[in-house]
Amino acid sequence: MTTHSDQKIKRLLDKHKTGTVSLASWLASIGISYDLQKHYRKSGWLKSIGTGAFIRPNDGVDWKGGLYALQSQADIKVHVGALTALSLQGLAHYFRLTQEKIFLFSPPQTNLPAWFKNHDWKQPIYHIQTSVLPHDTGLIHYQKDTFRIAISGPERAIVECLYLSPDKLDLVECYQIVEGLTNLRPKIVQELLETCDSIKVKRLFLYMADKAGHQWMHFVDRSGIDLGKGDRKIGKGGVYVSNFQISIPKELANL
């Protein structure tokens, strides 16, 4: 006859998604009390990776499985963005042999729990807190085996790349990515550019999109996009582009 404890273990196995972290608060919400969690940890059903966070023993959990718990169980506003989101969609320009940086984006003053920040995910995690774009605009879902996480669609991801450039991402690489984005959705581009609060980013985006000659730009109404006033200097170098009042590196201008 199935015991009460056996039923709880079955519930854990039924609810748990392979490759993800289970938070103590979520386990409690499905009927596995904190005392029972301690018992399962001691008996080998659960393995702690930090305060309030567990994985199943021998379950391969990477940063995506940790992010799933942040998004779906802790309800933290954080998503995969910039170059990382483009890489997941096969849209990055380069294949990196070294450990690729993972870019996560959140609204300002969003704190990630210690278990996530302190765990060794085998890849460097960069948590960008910014209000450069509304948090939910242009997000899509990425399916990873048994679970899915929120990531930036290609339109938002390239805007985030430009936000990180030139300090964290190379402008030339950003342009090479823009060249390959032949199927962006004008409606999403429009919304992002109208709500983006960085003049630098908006001018760079329009400059690169024009330079690449993409057809989708014909359906973007520039009259609703605030490009500010005055010149902007972006990176080292001094090639002035009068149409957008920006000074950009020679390497970018000569492409």
Side-chain angles (χ1 to χ4, degrees), residues 235-250:
K236 296 179 180 179
V239 177
Y240 185 68
V241 183
S242 59
N243 286 354
F244 298 98
Q245 295 181 281
I246 53 176
S247 294
I248 59 175
K250 179 173 60 178

Side-chain angles (χ1 to χ4, degrees), residues 49-51 112-122 125:
I49 62 167
T51 303
L112 302 185
W115 67 262
F116 185 87
K117 293 189 291 186
N118 297 336
H119 186 69
D120 181 11
W121 298 111
K122 309 301 182 185
I125 307 286

Side-chain angles (χ1 to χ4, degrees), residues 27 35 74 93 105-107 119 146 156 165 173-174 176 182 198 216 221 229 232 243 249 255:
L27 290 170
D35 285 341
H93 188 72
F105 281 73
S106 292
H119 186 69
T146 63
R156 182 182 181 113
S165 69
E173 181 177 1
C174 287
Q176 290 168 333
T182 58
S198 169
W216 46 261
D221 179 9
K229 296 180 180 178
R232 298 292 192 278
N243 286 354
L255 288 175

Side-chain angles (χ1 to χ4, degrees), residues 57-168:
N58 303 316
D59 189 9
V61 179
D62 63 12
W63 63 268
K64 301 180 198 70
L67 180 64
Y68 168 82
L70 297 182
Q71 292 180 346
S72 301
Q73 297 175 19
D75 197 27
I76 294 175
K77 292 186 181 299
V78 56
H79 67 271
V80 185
L83 195 57
T84 312
L86 290 167
S87 294
L88 291 177
Q89 296 167 80
L91 297 171
H93 188 72
Y94 298 118
F95 174 75
R96 288 166 169 79
L97 295 176
T98 56
Q99 288 186 331
E100 186 168 342
K101 298 174 183 176
I102 305 303
F103 292 106
L104 303 180
F105 281 73
S106 292
Q109 286 148 26
T110 301
N111 294 316
L112 302 185
W115 67 262
F116 185 87
K117 293 189 291 186
N118 297 336
H119 186 69
D120 181 11
W121 298 111
K122 309 301 182 185
Q123 289 179 267
I125 307 286
Y126 290 81
H127 182 213
I128 312 298
Q129 300 172 67
T130 177
S131 59
V132 70
L133 290 168
H135 174 68
D136 295 328
T137 305
L139 297 183
I140 63 173
H141 284 105
Y142 171 79
Q143 188 72 36
K144 173 71 165 67
D145 301 327
T146 63
F147 63 94
R148 65 181 192 172
I149 53 177
I151 72 171
S152 293
E155 299 86 2
R156 182 182 181 113
I158 189 57
V159 172
E160 290 168 339
C161 285
L162 295 176
Y163 174 74
L164 296 178
S165 69
D167 295 332
K168 293 183 175 66

